[in-house]
Amino acid sequence: MTLTHLNANGEARMVDVADKPESRREAKATGAIHMHPATLQRLVEGQMPKGDVLATARIAAIQGAKRTHELIPLCHALPLSKVEVDFALDDARSCVHVTAQCRLNGRTGVEMEALTAVSVACLTLYDMCKAVDKDMVIDSIQLEQKSGGASGNYYRTTPIVTGQGGSGEVSLGTLSSAGEPCVRVKCLAELRERLGVGEINVPFQRMASTDIGGLKAALKDMDSRFAGLDEGRTLCAVNQVMAGDATPLTADDEVAFFPPVTGG
Amino acid sequence: MIRVQSQPFEVGEEQRLLLDGRRDIGAVVSFTGLVRDFNERPDVQGLSLEHYPGMTESSLAGIVAEAEQRWPLQAVNVVHRVGHLQLGDPIVLVMIASQHRRAAFDACDFIMDYLKTRAPFWKKEHTASGDYWVAERHTDLQAARRWEAS
């Protein structure tokens, strides 16, 4: 592995791309800015002192992408053919997710442009909202995928494996104290993303009955998001065997809730 | 043999390994599922497959065991990929060896029908207009139900 931004003496240099073939280059980056629920609410209702927050952040992100070469020393100036910026407001996690996609037909990749667009969008969101909330946190700015060029395609491989933190997973953590009997609950796939909950431990003492029905009631009692368990068809497994509402539970059982399967 | 893996597989190589040293097999039937560029939306660019480690493997083993009870099979190979897949990538392989073709055809059909409706895998499709989780299909459930009647 060599770093093309260093010359033989280890000094920084701009890579000469004149002889590289042109190809279609795309990159997608994401990031998030977390804020107080009240701040997000004001943002949704358009009650920020500086005006339309998202429209401003979108324009800022596009401008940022176009000016990446002015900020990052060894970046080339690129005639981007597309910069697309999307915002997703997430009530459950009280944050705004930012996604930026850049494209061009050219000789160098557009990852830095996509990452810059996300960064500038987040900074602009901060600026637009800081009058009402200075605790906001910007995080998870990352490249999701890129295509084209000699280094080939890249996809961030969020290990899509249950229990290892899938995309957008939020763990409510261990609510029970050590040693207290509880069941370990996992939400998988679409259900995990819809509820915003990956894993949670539920103490037995919170359950009126020690079965799946009792567990569901306890979950809804602990967190209103679990009302979503009743939306659509939700399946359930206890210790990795399919189960129903009447299936009894014992300490340390692993319970998984998930949507109908769609493999093959 | 049952494998859940992120790496691609090669059908020819799988068949070579399955038949290696065997002289008793009279028929091999295989099904390969691929990532196609349209589904619920017309512009699918790729997909991500999530599974439930442990339960996925035991569920596939149960489906294969049921096929082996129903038909005289000499070898069964099920490979299913997880993680990010691109257009044209192989997703799933079901390869059956038997003495006569009918058992292999039927068992292959049966295993795919049960795999699609019982094995814990979930597809998320990536399109130009955003990502979405694939919904279950009524036709898949109907197809699986055929085997209960007979």
Side-chain angles (χ1 to χ4, degrees):
Chain A
M1 186 84 196
T2 56
L3 298 172
T4 54
H5 280 163
L6 300 181
N7 67 10
N9 300 323
E11 299 154 349
R13 62 162 190 148
M14 194 161 170
V15 179
D16 184 354
V17 296
D19 295 331
K20 283 175 137 188
E22 282 207 354
S23 69
R24 183 188 175 98
R25 308 296 195 107
E26 292 184 317
K28 177 177 170 181
T30 58
I33 178 165
H34 300 262
M35 56 190 69
H36 292 303
T39 312
L40 186 63
Q41 190 59 34
R42 289 184 70 155
L43 194 161
V44 171
E45 291 166 1
Q47 293 178 355
M48 285 297 170
K50 290 192 177 181
D52 190 336
V53 174
L54 297 182
T56 309
R58 190 188 313 277
I59 298 300
I62 294 169
Q63 291 286 52
K66 290 196 288 189
R67 304 182 75 159
T68 300
H69 68 103
E70 294 174 22
L71 298 168
I72 311 298
L74 304 180
C75 269
H76 298 85
L78 300 179
L80 292 169
S81 62
K82 167 185 150 176
V83 181
E84 191 174 298
V85 182
D86 286 310
F87 300 101
L89 307 179
D90 187 337
D91 286 331
R93 277 164 272 186
S94 195
C95 69
V96 178
H97 299 280
V98 182
T99 303
Q101 298 187 73
C102 295
R103 181 187 293 164
L104 93 160
N105 287 323
R107 298 188 173 90
T108 177
V110 289
E111 302 97 298
M112 292 313 301
E113 284 68 18
L115 286 164
T116 302
V118 169
S119 305
V120 172
C122 287
L123 289 171
T124 305
L125 288 170
Y126 192 99
D127 182 50
M128 297 291 287
C129 302
K130 68 180 190 293
V132 298
D133 184 356
K134 291 182 178 57
D135 294 331
M136 289 180 287
V137 173
I138 294 169
D139 71 5
S140 310
I141 295 177
Q142 57 192 25
L143 181 69
E144 296 296 334
Q145 60 189 64
K146 62 144 288 209
S147 59
S151 68
N153 297 345
Y154 164 85
Y155 293 93
R156 175 169 297 279
T157 44
T158 19
I160 306 181
V161 168
T162 308
Q164 293 183 9
S167 60
E169 177 170 332
V170 171
S171 175
L172 295 186
T174 308
L175 292 184
S176 62
S177 56
E180 189 181 10
C182 58
V183 291
R184 294 168 292 132
V185 177
K186 292 178 167 185
C187 296
L188 311 184
E190 183 267 346
L191 190 70
R192 176 187 62 236
E193 294 190 1
R194 176 154 52 88
L195 301 186
V197 180
E199 293 188 40
I200 184 170
N201 286 353
V202 179
F204 265 98
Q205 62 176 36
R206 281 183 172 262
M207 290 184 239
S209 61
T210 53
D211 54 23
I212 292 296
L215 173 65
K216 283 186 184 170
L219 284 167
K220 289 173 202 163
D221 191 39
M222 287 162 71
D223 191 316
S224 59
R225 285 178 285 174
F226 283 103
L229 282 174
D230 296 331
E231 291 165 20
R233 200 156 81 88
T234 300
L235 308 177
C236 174
V238 175
N239 297 327
Q240 307 204 333
V241 176
M242 294 303 292
D245 277 354
T247 305
L249 294 170
T250 53
D252 279 338
D253 277 350
E254 177 178 290
V255 179
F257 293 105
F258 46 83
V261 303
T262 55
Chain B
M1 185 174 53
I2 289 160
R3 292 184 349 246
V4 178
Q5 62 186 42
S6 56
Q7 305 88 343
F9 55 81
E10 211 277 300
V11 180
E13 178 66 7
E14 297 289 339
Q15 177 158 326
R16 194 187 63 74
L17 290 170
L18 189 91
L19 299 180
D20 193 33
R22 300 284 292 260
R23 293 290 177 270
D24 55 328
I25 291 171
V28 178
V29 168
S30 72
F31 170 85
T32 308
L34 307 172
V35 183
R36 60 169 183 255
D37 66 359
F38 70 96
N39 193 26
E40 291 176 26
R41 295 190 201 169
D43 52 357
V44 176
Q45 296 171 332
L47 61 80
S48 300
L49 264 154
E50 174 169 339
H51 74 306
Y52 185 12
M55 185 171 174
T56 304
E57 288 84 352
S58 59
S59 162
L60 292 173
I63 294 167
V64 168
E66 189 166 344
E68 285 172 332
Q69 281 187 351
R70 287 179 179 230
W71 294 278
L73 307 178
Q74 290 172 299
V76 179
N77 192 2
V78 178
V79 185
H80 203 299
R81 291 179 67 195
V82 292
H84 193 93
L85 277 66
Q86 293 177 257
L87 292 182
D89 274 3
I91 305 170
V92 61
L93 171 71
V94 175
M95 187 175 280
I96 314 272
S98 60
Q99 285 183 328
H100 303 287
R101 73 179 183 284
R102 183 59 55 204
F105 273 121
D106 288 351
C108 190
D109 202 10
F110 168 87
I111 288 176
M112 272 312 298
D113 281 346
Y114 270 37
L115 183 153
K116 284 184 87 79
T117 50
R118 298 185 178 196
F121 291 101
W122 298 274
K123 280 196 194 107
K124 187 185 212 178
E125 289 181 340
H126 308 293
T127 74
S129 54
D131 301 346
Y132 60 89
W133 289 93
V134 174
E136 68 176 331
R137 279 167 184 264
H138 187 59
T139 48
D140 288 337
L141 294 170
Q142 273 181 330
R145 227 168 272 138
R146 290 181 301 155
W147 303 102
E148 288 160 24
S150 60

